[in-house]
Amino acid sequence: MPTTQVPDWKAGCRAVYGNRTEGLVDAFGNPMSSFDKITTWGINLETCYKYCGPDKLQQSFDFSTFSTSFTNWLLPWLALTAQLPYETSGPWSNFMSLLLALGSPALITYSLSLTILNRFWIRQRFETLRSESCDVDARHPQFGERIRSAQYLLQEAQQVPMRASQEGGWLSSLIVLNNNHRWWSSVKKDLHNTRRGVTFSLVAQVGVAVIAWFFTIIAAFVGSLGDIGMALQTSAGSLWLWMVPVICGWIAVGTQYRAGSINEALSDDHNLALRALTDKDSNGNPIVAIERQRAILSRSGLTPQPHRVATVCNPGQGASYIGVPGRIGTNEYTRLEVPNWFGFDVAGDERQEGPLYNYARPLTWWQFASAIEKAFDATLSSLHSGRNCQDQPWDEHQLPEPNLSGTATQVAKFSGFDTRPVLAYPEWARISAKVCHRILVASLVAMWVQWGTTGPAIFVAYLTPTKGLSCRSGSYVIYGVLSTISWILLTASSLFSHAVMLRYQRVHTLRPNLDLRDNSSRPGFYRRTLGHAFLCAAAVIARGTGKSLAAFNAFWLLTSSIFEYIGFYETCWCSAGAVSLGDAGWIVLFKSADDMADTASKYWVGGVIMSFGVCFAAFLFFYFGCRKTTSDEE
């Protein structure tokens, strides 16, 4: 017997079943011997298979119904994905960022929360430094503004891997020397000009998505209250609601609108800086070189060790300012490249450009920011001490420049780099408790947004009769669980990668001439130990599995949403809650929308209010977390 195609599966099943009394059940799935208009709700799963099974009855595809549902419920959210933060190194990386965001809202929320909390920490630390700099304005008039520029750089540069380097005496020179103020101001200006702002397209797309969602919700409760199909589409829409606070949060915290802008600002050949050299001229005056700075770099990996304050160069004679175009430490960086594990990068997503990958940078960014902050703090202490760079009493009758001049060694000591190395990866024992606190808070916010939007969808689908875990609620559970597992795996992979690179850093610190590029036992090369190799494997496998789950989950989200609109779930097994009830499942067949409104509307309204409340609370957290202070605007 051929399968009958019907526009409404439940109506068709009701017509096929007719006036029979076989398999009748009440509101709790208990069997009934006769039909009662008030207490009879439907039929059991066995009876449904007998008369309305997939071999007998199927819901036909109706393009008009599909297009209406797709346009009202899904299309505005798909359009809104254009406003997610990408800014990666290429089209494939941008596409991967999209899949990771859709497949794991927890991951992108975690990255956003870390970015906001890091920004808040930097603001607190540098506001303290700025207040302390007021006492030394006479000695270093532009130092307060330099601190403000450094704060802006640290806040804006979270979406790329960053490294500080004292190689050649660069970092101390950049912070201490008075004539480097132009470099700091120019970097701040360049980053401000490439900052992503609020555009008309953003306002339009966010507004359209939110208004469409609200209007559809209102229409559903006013005109279709009690319609199970409309209620379940409402629950499916809740899965996408996280995008509104997350996108607004990224705009508020600030990202660069294109890839490479941070590196361009730091490496501008038209914005050169001064570096103190080890030599003095014939008159005994310190010599500086004018070069493209190499102190603050947008790069990943290790920083050259051992700690050296200067690199040998030949500045010539008879001049205090000498332009030296050479590169510093190029060979060092080449030798510090670490081998892959079976062709896969062991350094992890920390080296990836883009805001979404901030999840992999909380430790290295903190290490970089701390190096800059401590250098400014040490310089302030030196300014307060009343002694100049050459460890002589400060001459109050001279301009700042002679007091702030010195050899590379003297300038390094003035900024606290004479004994303190500059490393890329912090040792576990040295990681501040505040860093762990920020990671914990960001994790809680990620779970709040993830399950605060997925949870109401499960809640509505689960409690809509037939109550129980069905295809719909089960698909939402799968989405939420896979999203959470993906976030856990990717976060764990970043910690494994940190452990891997930390071991390389320890080896390089003890044996700086060792070449790390080849995992070989040849003389002059480093070979991984068994434990080191295990960490490499764990980092790669966790990262690959996490990304694969997120990519699958993104397609699962789209597929389950489309299934809702084409009637894929209108079958005996899906409608009967058979996932949890098994053979005891049953389907609602004899209740009108008015009856359903009296029974289930409180769950539907509760689900909508819950998802809206979670998103509004997340929005407030993001807004107040990145709200600018008066000093930020100066």
Side-chain angles (χ1 to χ4, degrees):
M1 183 177 179
T3 303
T4 303
Q5 299 285 330
V6 293
D8 186 327
W9 181 79
K10 283 194 175 179
C13 184
R14 196 160 46 242
V16 171
Y17 183 81
N19 295 322
R20 296 178 177 85
T21 58
E22 180 182 355
L24 295 174
V25 295
D26 61 13
F28 303 99
N30 299 318
M32 300 181 65
S33 57
S34 61
F35 180 84
D36 182 85
K37 185 177 181 180
I38 297 177
T39 58
T40 303
W41 275 63
I43 58 176
N44 59 34
L45 183 59
E46 181 182 358
T47 305
C48 182
Y49 275 130
K50 182 177 180 180
Y51 295 103
C52 310
D55 57 331
K56 300 177 178 61
L57 201 65
Q58 290 183 355
Q59 181 162 314
S60 60
F61 175 75
D62 187 299
F63 181 78
S64 176
T65 302
F66 168 76
S67 61
T68 300
S69 300
F70 182 85
T71 303
N72 290 340
W73 291 103
L74 188 57
L75 189 59
W77 299 119
L78 291 178
L80 194 57
T81 59
Q83 297 297 338
L84 289 169
Y86 298 105
E87 295 85 40
T88 63
S89 56
W92 169 250
S93 298
N94 284 336
F95 180 65
M96 195 66 215
S97 293
L98 172 64
L99 294 182
L100 290 175
L102 294 183
S104 184
L107 182 68
I108 191 171
T109 306
Y110 176 70
S111 292
L112 171 60
S113 302
L114 279 177
T115 306
I116 291 173
L117 294 170
N118 287 340
R119 182 189 180 96
F120 184 77
W121 173 73
I122 279 293
R123 181 191 304 161
Q124 286 184 317
R125 293 297 304 130
F126 276 74
E127 282 181 352
T128 301
L129 292 177
R130 281 204 303 272
S131 65
E132 294 175 356
S133 70
C134 296
D135 299 332
V136 296
D137 280 345
R139 294 175 178 172
H140 205 319
Q142 299 173 323
F143 201 66
E145 185 60 34
R146 187 172 301 188
I147 292 173
R148 185 177 289 108
S149 297
Q151 174 188 344
Y152 194 85
L153 168 63
L154 293 175
Q155 291 177 170
E156 295 298 318
Q158 295 190 58
Q159 68 187 63
V160 294
M162 295 294 295
R163 297 293 185 268
S165 174
Q166 176 60 6
E167 186 73 6
W170 253 121
L171 187 55
S172 56
S173 298
L174 200 63
I175 292 173
V176 174
L177 298 186
N178 188 55
N179 288 332
N180 279 332
H181 180 71
R182 179 181 174 276
W183 183 89
W184 287 100
S185 299
S186 180
V187 167
K188 179 184 177 183
K189 180 181 178 181
D190 290 345
L191 293 178
H192 184 270
N193 291 338
T194 54
R195 196 176 193 269
R196 185 186 182 194
V198 179
T199 62
F200 177 78
S201 61
L202 168 70
V203 175
Q205 287 182 320
V206 172
V208 166
V210 174
I211 292 172
W213 185 75
F214 269 113
F215 276 25
T216 310
I217 292 293
I218 293 171
F221 284 117
V222 172
S224 304
L225 187 61
D227 186 334
I228 293 180
M230 186 62 72
L232 295 173
Q233 289 184 16
T234 302
S235 68
S238 173
L239 297 174
W240 298 82
L241 200 56
W242 60 267
M243 282 202 293
V244 174
V246 167
I247 289 175
C248 292
W250 278 114
I251 295 297
V253 74
T255 63
Q256 297 291 295
Y257 73 81
R258 60 181 173 84
S261 59
I262 296 173
N263 186 55
E264 291 172 7
L266 295 173
S267 306
D268 187 358
D269 287 330
H270 299 289
N271 185 25
L272 302 179
L274 276 63
R275 177 171 65 92
L277 302 182
T278 56
D279 299 328
K280 293 184 178 182
D281 63 15
S282 57
N283 297 321
N285 296 317
I287 304 176
V288 297
I290 305 175
E291 305 171 331
R292 191 175 72 178
Q293 70 87 24
R294 301 283 295 175
I296 299 176
L297 308 171
S298 174
R299 62 175 298 275
S300 60
L302 305 177
T303 53
Q305 300 297 321
H307 172 57
R308 292 185 291 269
V309 298
T311 301
V312 176
C313 55
N314 299 310
Q317 299 291 330
S320 296
Y321 294 90
I322 301 173
V324 181
R327 294 184 176 87
I328 297 174
T330 302
N331 292 333
E332 290 283 350
Y333 291 126
T334 302
R335 290 193 304 107
L336 294 180
E337 295 175 357
V338 300
N340 295 331
W341 185 79
F342 289 100
F344 295 97
D345 182 18
V346 298
D349 283 342
E350 190 269 340
R351 67 172 59 219
Q352 293 287 343
E353 183 172 4
L356 183 137
Y357 297 105
N358 290 0
Y359 82 89
R361 286 187 277 271
L363 302 182
T364 54
W365 179 87
W366 172 76
Q367 180 78 350
F368 163 72
S370 295
I372 305 295
E373 185 265 335
K374 288 177 181 177
F376 272 97
D377 188 41
T379 304
L380 269 177
S381 297
S382 297
L383 289 170
H384 280 105
S385 71
R387 302 190 71 82
N388 62 21
C389 277
Q390 299 177 50
D391 201 23
Q392 299 295 322
W394 192 281
D395 190 345
E396 303 289 352
H397 301 291
Q398 285 191 337
L399 295 174
E401 183 60 32
N403 288 294
L404 294 172
S405 298
T407 64
T409 303
Q410 291 170 336
V411 172
K413 183 177 181 180
F414 195 78
S415 55
F417 283 114
D418 55 327
T419 58
R420 176 164 48 87
V422 180
L423 301 173
Y425 296 87
E427 291 285 347
W428 297 112
R430 293 183 177 273
I431 296 173
S432 169
K434 292 183 178 180
V435 177
C436 300
H437 179 261
R438 290 197 291 273
I439 292 174
L440 176 60
V441 172
S443 301
L444 293 176
V445 175
M447 290 295 94
W448 170 263
V449 172
Q450 173 68 67
W451 289 101
T453 52
T454 306
I458 299 171
F459 175 80
V460 171
Y462 185 91
L463 294 178
T464 296
T466 305
K467 294 181 181 180
L469 197 63
S470 62
C471 294
R472 292 180 178 88
S473 56
S475 68
Y476 305 157
V477 170
I478 291 173
Y479 176 72
V481 169
L482 290 183
S483 173
T484 304
I485 293 176
S486 172
W487 164 67
I488 292 173
L489 287 173
L490 288 171
T491 303
S493 75
S494 69
L495 298 179
F496 286 133
S497 291
H498 184 83
V500 168
M501 300 304 293
L502 199 54
R503 291 201 175 195
Y504 277 117
Q505 181 174 271
R506 292 168 184 164
V507 170
H508 176 59
T509 302
L510 293 175
R511 304 174 63 186
N513 294 322
L514 205 61
D515 198 322
L516 304 178
R517 288 174 291 178
D518 187 12
N519 186 30
S520 149
S521 57
R522 291 182 297 162
F525 289 85
Y526 168 72
R527 183 174 181 83
R528 295 177 184 135
T529 63
L530 182 61
H532 199 179
F534 174 80
L535 288 173
C536 293
V540 171
I541 293 173
R543 186 173 74 250
T545 305
K547 287 188 173 181
S548 298
L549 287 178
F552 170 81
N553 214 26
F555 288 110
W556 177 254
L557 173 64
L558 290 171
T559 302
S560 63
S561 298
I562 292 174
F563 279 174
E564 186 67 56
Y565 308 140
I566 64 175
F568 180 84
Y569 295 134
E570 297 298 330
T571 63
C572 291
W573 197 80
C574 288
S575 299
V579 175
S580 59
L581 298 177
D583 293 337
W586 58 279
I587 67 167
V588 177
L589 207 60
F590 306 116
K591 287 300 175 181
S592 65
D594 291 338
D595 296 325
M596 294 301 299
D598 294 336
T599 303
S601 60
K602 58 181 178 290
Y603 305 131
W604 303 342
V605 174
V608 171
I609 293 175
M610 186 188 306
S611 57
F612 176 78
V614 165
C615 289
F616 184 70
F619 174 81
L620 291 179
F621 174 81
F622 299 148
Y623 173 76
F624 286 108
C626 28
R627 187 175 57 173
K628 294 180 177 62
T629 62
T630 304
S631 60
D632 291 328
E633 301 292 346
E634 293 176 356

